[in-house]
Amino acid sequence: MSLHSSGVALPAAPGDMVMTIRGSKNMNKSLFWIYVVLSIVGLVTAWIFNGLAT
C-alpha cells in the first residue's frame, strides 16, 4: 500500500484490491449468518419473556 498525498492508503496494484474484495465477501457472508442467529435468539427470548409476563 502506498500513501496518497492526502494521507489515504491506496492499493499498490490492482490485484491488491481484488484480494480485499474477495476477503470482504467472505467476511460479509459470515457476518450475515451471525446476524441471522442473533436475530433468531432475540426473537425467541422475546417470546419467552413475553409469555412469562402474561
Side-chain angles (χ1 to χ4, degrees):
M1 295 237 164
S2 62
L3 283 179
H4 189 262
S5 61
S6 64
V8 177
L10 298 174
D16 290 345
M17 185 61 79
V18 173
M19 288 176 61
T20 303
I21 291 171
R22 285 187 188 145
S24 176
K25 263 188 173 178
N26 291 336
M27 181 63 133
N28 287 341
K29 195 173 193 180
S30 60
L31 279 176
F32 168 78
W33 286 111
I34 290 171
Y35 292 148
V36 167
V37 169
L38 289 175
S39 298
I40 292 170
V41 168
L43 182 66
V44 170
T45 54
W47 284 342
I48 291 171
F49 285 113
N50 281 328
L52 291 174
T54 57

